[in-house]
Amino acid sequence: MRKIGFISFVLLLFAGPASAQIPTSGNVFFGYSYENMSSSALGFANSSRANLNGWEASVEGKVFPWVGFVADVAGHYGSQSYVFNLGGQNSSVNVDAHEFTAMFGPRVSVSVGKLRPFAQALFGVGHITTSQTAAVADNFAQPSDTSFAWALGGGLDYKVIRPI
């Protein structure tokens, strides 16, 4: 019985310092995301660009007041039509694309009143899957690909009320 009491006391004694090591602030985001990608990413040598709509979710844990680490996942979906001239005959191809990314990295931010500008560098993996409606497209597009993904950029957060 003394052993259980001693272990309970030690766990309660170190609970406070252990909880101080966990980031107590950060950000959570979930919302709409828009992406404009080159058709070469879909496997076509064409000058047009595909518009993809989707979602994005991210979580940031602060390690210092102005530095945090971000985990970001996203999914984008869209379709694009292409016209090819093969042997003097035009052929139309419709390509559906689904892209998923999972990235991690640092974010630097500074609060100035209700505004918080930030810059980030995220690195991870991206997976794209395509399907096409014409048989001629099999010569141009790969059905899926997984590769290295990165995103460098920034933004501006506006604090509406304390939790939002």
Side-chain angles (χ1 to χ4, degrees):
M1 192 65 166
R2 284 185 183 179
K3 190 175 186 178
I4 293 173
F6 178 73
I7 292 173
S8 298
F9 175 75
V10 170
L11 288 176
L12 289 174
L13 180 67
F14 291 113
S19 67
Q21 303 304 312
I22 299 172
T24 57
S25 65
N27 295 295
V28 176
F29 169 78
F30 181 78
Y32 170 79
S33 180
Y34 169 80
E35 183 176 330
N36 183 275
M37 77 169 27
S38 70
S39 59
S40 64
L42 298 174
F44 293 90
N46 196 315
S47 62
S48 64
R49 299 183 63 83
N51 298 313
L52 304 177
N53 297 292
W55 55 270
E56 183 174 0
S58 68
V59 176
E60 175 189 17
K62 294 282 193 180
V63 291
F64 297 110
W66 50 278
V67 177
F69 284 96
V70 179
D72 184 279
V73 292
H76 294 90
Y77 316 90
S79 62
Q80 182 74 25
S81 294
Y82 300 95
V83 177
F84 294 96
N85 187 341
L86 298 173
Q89 185 176 10
N90 285 341
S91 180
S92 179
V93 177
N94 188 44
V95 178
D96 293 321
H98 305 276
E99 179 192 43
F100 299 98
T101 58
M103 296 185 283
F104 307 92
R107 177 183 288 169
V108 177
S109 62
V110 176
S111 292
V112 182
K114 289 189 169 197
L115 298 176
R116 191 177 61 91
F118 65 90
Q120 63 187 16
L122 305 179
F123 305 94
V125 64
H127 178 77
I128 188 165
T129 303
T130 60
S131 60
Q132 49 276 349
T133 59
V136 72
D138 291 335
N139 298 326
F140 299 103
Q142 297 177 355
S144 68
D145 182 39
T146 301
S147 61
F148 177 74
W150 58 275
L152 300 176
L156 182 68
D157 288 335
Y158 180 76
K159 187 180 288 189
V160 179
I161 56 176
R162 181 162 167 67
I164 300 175

